[in-house]
Amino acid sequence: WVKRYAKVPLASLLSLWFVNEDPRPAVEAFDENTRSLIYAGKIAVGMTKQQVIMALGFPPHHKTPDTSMDTWTYWKQDYYTVLFQNGVVINVPQ
């Protein structure tokens, strides 16, 4: 069922959802505002793709098949998109 929904094998999804290393040291290297946003699960203009992944997780594969794209689609009660330019967020969905 997961493969049909996500269009990728479960093992691939698990490798995205679970990491081998604690991400907190990487998060702690960011400025205070970025750290606060990531820990709150929020994003802001100027955040990098990696920071967005830390805050929101990977976007669902069936809506965003490749994270090199400049538009990522997420779901939270309804679909919303995050737009990037040169790897940096240029809009924040309301």
Side-chain angles (χ1 to χ4, degrees), residues 66-81:
D66 187 346
T67 55
S68 68
M69 298 169 60
D70 286 333
T71 302
W72 293 4
T73 302
Y74 285 92
W75 170 267
K76 185 176 182 182
Q77 298 176 355
D78 200 0
Y79 287 106
Y80 66 95
T81 58

Side-chain angles (χ1 to χ4, degrees), residues 1-57:
W1 180 84
V2 172
K3 184 175 181 182
R4 187 184 78 195
Y5 171 74
K7 298 185 179 163
V8 295
L10 180 59
S12 295
L13 291 175
L14 292 175
S15 71
L16 295 176
W17 296 338
F18 298 100
V19 295
N20 293 324
E21 296 179 20
D22 185 352
R24 288 178 289 189
V27 174
E28 291 301 319
F30 300 132
D31 64 86
E32 184 178 342
N33 184 55
T34 302
R35 283 193 311 267
S36 296
L37 288 166
I38 289 170
Y39 287 136
K42 298 180 180 182
I43 62 170
V45 170
M47 291 178 77
T48 66
K49 288 183 175 187
Q50 186 62 34
Q51 291 167 338
V52 172
I53 290 169
M54 290 176 168
L56 303 178

